Amino acid sequence: GHIGRIAVMRSHRGKGFGSRILSYLEVRAKQQGLTRVYLGAQVQAVPFYEKSGYRCYGDTFLDAGIIHRHMEKNL
């Protein structure tokens, strides 16, 4: 399954909201029988996703003028 954009207001970052959103999406993906999720992460957000078990693959790419990495996680 593909996870699209996840956004947390700057004033609310670092409070666990992003992790909770990501966890919820993973639970829903499992409930639908998916075994893998993938996303395109802004390079500065890669450590956030790595903490949740995602790994980078492939080359970097530009999206809206921002460098991204492909990331995936087996559920």
Side-chain angles (χ1 to χ4, degrees):
H2 179 254
I3 295 176
R5 293 193 190 331
I6 295 177
V8 175
M9 291 175 49
R10 190 176 310 272
S11 62
H12 289 75
R13 292 181 190 161
K15 299 177 182 176
F17 292 113
S19 295
R20 282 185 251 163
I21 292 167
L22 191 58
S23 178
Y24 174 79
L25 294 171
E26 292 170 2
V27 167
R28 294 291 295 144
K30 283 183 191 179
Q31 289 172 341
Q32 294 179 33
L34 300 174
T35 59
R36 174 184 169 267
V37 289
Y38 63 96
L39 53 86
Q42 292 182 8
V43 170
Q44 74 268 12
V46 165
F48 165 78
Y49 291 106
E50 287 177 330
K51 287 178 191 173
S52 292
Y54 287 77
R55 68 171 192 82
C56 293
Y57 67 93
D59 296 326
T60 60
F61 64 97
L62 280 180
D63 184 1
I66 302 168
I67 299 173
H68 285 66
R69 291 293 314 263
H70 294 287
M71 300 191 81
E72 67 183 352
K73 179 178 180 178
N74 292 321
L75 301 176

